[in-house]
Amino acid sequence: MSSSPVAPPPYVRGQPASPPPYYGTLIVRGPAWRSRFAQGDRIPLFRPEIHIGKLASNDIMVTDPYTSRNHAVIRWAPQGYVLEDLRSTNGTFVNGQRISGPMLLQPGQTIRIGQTEMTFYALQGDGRAIPGYAPAAPPAGYAPPFAAQAPAAPMAPTAAQQPFQYVDRGLPAGQGLGGWIGLEWRKHYWKVLIVGLILLFISEYLLNNVLGEPALLFVIPIASALMPITFFIYCWDSDYLSDMPRWIPWGAFISGALLGVTLAFVLELIFVNGDSLGAALAIGLIEESCKALAVVWFLRNHRLHSEIDGVILGAAAGAGFATLETALYALTAYLGGFQDGGGVAAVNQTLLLRGLLAIFGHVTWTAIVVGAIWRDRGQRTFRPTFGVLLAFAIAVLLHALWDGVPIVGMLIAAVVGLWLLRFFLREAVSRAKFGPYAPPPRPLALALGAYVFHPFRDPAPRPVAPPAGSFTGAWQISPVAVAPYAAPQAYPAAPQYPPQYAPQYPPPAQPPAQAAAPGLQPRVCVHGHTTTDPAARFCRVCGAPLGG
């Protein structure tokens, strides 16, 4: 079910989007969702774009396992509201049929994303909007497609048709300390970090007071792996690992550890001598090259097409490299290999500087380099652009500062690295919201220049949303006339991928079967999937209509 391909409207930064001829709302069914715009189970569509997906940057977060990071978007259009799937893994379904392109929503249609169903309705009422955002007059040719289904006599309003009061608060997700705490409390990364620190303190106590040096068998692995593992759990909690098989980030972790460390060790034995700043630059050049080489074989996996995938793979390879390198450095320090006398004190100093601070070093630098590779690759396997070389040079310089200038260099490298990593993540998430119509990224040097002067601006042009309080009053659900959807001819068609680069979408995964509750008769679709939800009309696995 789709219409002709059409790109998103060419928004002009700072200019308001044209409102639709009527306003709509979604009524959402399902436990695994939340939205800052929700009024109970209703989400009025009073913004030019409503993004749906797992990431917290979406307007509607759907957190079940069958939803992608950026799954779908509903946009204002001259004829009403257009739904578009953003190359999600498991697809978007309307009335049980998977859509393959933008389509105009008709009031009463049911959207299924993952295991969550959303029914689209039109709104009427005494709501008031500020000047400039009132709906435009319906164009000529409007005809209600559901007129034949209208009841002959007025019917009592259902719960979904009752009027409701709505005030657009305009609040971003998690605003304020209370909102942030509420979002973070449900995550696991900080719990893993606390448990790891407790285990580390216990191991240090055993080392210094009970077991002595044999306790290093506990101290070194815990301190070396604590921050990288915490980073992985944070990415998992934030749903950045969605849309990629679970083995891939761990494959990058192992590849960065074994291949990256081994190759760097051999090259440094051959080409690096002394402890000068030049030697630090040589080490940075060698290690950043080895870490990048450890993940380039993932470039042939065309399911990993997003820039977010590149950032995560780079960070995973850096985490694996840092974990093994830290353990080896700690062992070398214990044996006196750094001319510091060796022993337990040297081990603790090495673990503190390299293990607990790993996320600010190798993890960040490799994420920048590999993120730039995925950013500029386009539909090719690899493109050695100026942006890739620039990101690589920045990572090498930060690495050399970290190794060659004690304390001050580490602080500068950590701050600048995290600041650059924020740029890559924000740009990747923003561009992912365009789906297959994402424009080519700006040259990295120009994009970084804009980021310096406008660090809080959305990297991609977005329609200007009405300010807070624009829509107030009582609204009720009722049908409106909707014109047939005609794709604007001024927009370019969706890009056509060569067969070897076309995104591959696996079939929707079947959720685990649930036992029927007493008194509920299982209902079966034509493909054999069952559900006990008495209100469901379409199968949540394959989208087919449900039988009795």
Side-chain angles (χ1 to χ4, degrees):
M1 175 184 294
S2 66
S3 59
S4 301
V6 53
Y11 298 124
V12 178
R13 194 184 298 277
Q15 298 297 320
S18 299
Y22 66 94
Y23 290 120
T25 188
L26 296 176
I27 294 183
V28 187
R29 297 176 57 253
W33 70 276
R34 63 179 181 269
S35 173
R36 63 185 184 273
F37 303 121
Q39 302 287 309
D41 62 350
R42 309 179 190 198
I43 303 177
L45 305 177
F46 290 163
R47 298 175 68 85
E49 290 183 346
I50 295 292
H51 288 269
I52 308 169
K54 271 191 174 182
L55 294 182
S57 59
N58 288 288
D59 302 299
I60 304 175
M61 289 184 62
V62 180
T63 56
D64 69 59
Y66 309 106
T67 306
S68 297
R69 301 183 192 115
N70 296 282
H71 197 106
V73 61
I74 299 176
R75 294 188 176 96
W76 286 358
Q79 294 94 339
Y81 291 85
V82 172
L83 170 69
E84 181 182 0
D85 183 85
L86 299 178
R87 294 195 296 189
S88 65
T89 301
N90 291 308
T92 302
F93 296 81
V94 175
N95 281 4
Q97 299 185 35
R98 185 168 183 168
I99 66 173
S100 58
M103 66 167 295
L104 184 72
L105 290 173
Q106 308 286 344
Q109 289 181 326
T110 297
I111 305 166
R112 183 174 65 81
I113 292 178
Q115 295 178 317
T116 302
E117 289 186 351
M118 312 175 188
T119 304
F120 173 73
Y121 292 101
L123 286 176
Q124 286 187 1
D126 64 349
R128 299 168 291 279
I130 61 172
Y133 285 96
Y142 261 45
F146 44 80
Q149 304 174 7
M155 299 177 61
T158 64
Q161 295 171 326
Q162 295 291 345
F164 68 99
Q165 295 285 335
Y166 176 79
V167 176
D168 184 359
R169 300 177 179 86
L171 299 177
Q175 179 175 0
L177 181 60
W180 181 81
I181 292 176
L183 290 175
E184 299 302 310
W185 182 258
R186 292 185 289 269
K187 297 182 179 180
H188 301 88
Y189 72 93
W190 61 271
K191 303 172 188 176
V192 172
L193 178 61
I194 291 176
V195 171
L197 289 174
I198 293 174
L199 293 176
L200 182 59
F201 289 145
I202 294 175
S203 301
E204 286 285 351
Y205 176 80
L206 296 175
L207 174 65
N208 294 302
N209 298 283
V210 181
L211 298 178
E213 294 181 354
L216 288 174
L217 295 175
F218 303 102
V219 173
I220 292 177
I222 293 175
S224 300
L226 177 58
M227 292 308 296
I229 294 299
T230 301
F231 159 77
F232 262 105
I233 301 302
Y234 174 80
C235 293
W236 187 291
D237 286 337
S238 302
D239 293 308
Y240 287 120
L241 299 184
S242 301
D243 305 324
M244 66 169 61
R246 293 292 180 256
W247 68 269
I248 286 183
W250 290 110
F253 182 94
I254 295 172
S255 179
L258 299 181
L259 178 61
V261 170
T262 302
L263 188 57
F265 177 75
V266 173
L267 293 177
E268 288 173 13
L269 284 179
I270 299 174
F271 296 105
V272 178
N273 293 302
D275 298 324
S276 63
L277 186 58
L281 281 171
I283 291 174
L285 180 64
I286 291 172
E287 293 188 356
E288 295 308 317
S289 301
C290 293
K291 288 183 292 180
L293 287 173
V295 295
V296 293
W297 57 283
F298 286 106
L299 284 165
R300 300 192 63 84
N301 188 333
H302 297 290
R303 289 182 60 186
L304 306 175
H305 54 78
S306 170
E307 298 167 39
I308 302 177
D309 296 328
V311 174
I312 294 301
L313 289 175
F321 188 97
T323 299
L324 183 56
E325 185 194 50
T326 299
L328 294 176
Y329 266 103
L331 181 61
T332 303
Y334 173 72
L335 298 175
F338 297 130
Q339 300 179 353
D340 52 6
V344 172
V347 170
N348 285 331
Q349 181 180 1
T350 300
L351 292 176
L352 176 63
L353 292 179
R354 294 185 174 273
L356 299 183
L357 301 180
I359 193 172
F360 305 108
H362 287 297
V363 173
T364 299
W365 305 328
T366 316
I368 291 172
V369 174
V370 182
I373 293 174
W374 253 257
R375 179 184 188 271
D376 290 354
R377 64 181 292 194
Q379 296 182 13
R380 303 181 186 177
T381 300
F382 176 71
R383 294 177 61 200
T385 63
F386 176 77
V388 172
L389 298 178
L390 176 62
F392 180 79
I394 292 174
V396 170
L397 180 59
L398 294 178
H399 195 146
L401 279 175
W402 184 285
D403 288 342
V405 184
I407 308 301
V408 175
M410 295 175 64
L411 180 62
I412 294 174
V415 172
V416 174
L418 289 179
W419 182 75
L420 289 173
L421 180 60
R422 176 180 178 269
F423 161 80
F424 279 97
L425 274 177
R426 289 181 73 248
E427 185 190 58
V429 171
S430 181
R431 283 174 43 77
K433 292 182 177 180
F434 283 95
Y437 306 101
R442 300 176 63 188
L444 183 59
L446 297 179
L448 287 176
Y451 179 57
V452 169
F453 293 102
H454 302 284
F456 301 104
R457 175 186 287 180
D458 193 326
R462 296 291 171 197
V464 176
S470 298
F471 302 94
T472 61
W475 301 78
Q476 65 181 3
I477 293 171
S478 60
V480 299
V482 178
Y485 183 53
Q489 299 301 315
Y491 302 147
Q496 299 298 317
Y497 295 94
Q500 65 269 31
Y501 297 118
Q504 300 297 317
Y505 305 120
Q510 181 174 354
Q514 298 181 354
L520 294 180
Q521 185 67 24
R523 303 166 65 199
V524 185
C525 73
V526 295
H527 297 107
H529 305 134
T530 62
T531 181
T532 57
D533 187 350
R537 293 182 295 167
F538 305 100
C539 178
R540 291 182 175 181
V541 178
C542 63
L546 290 169

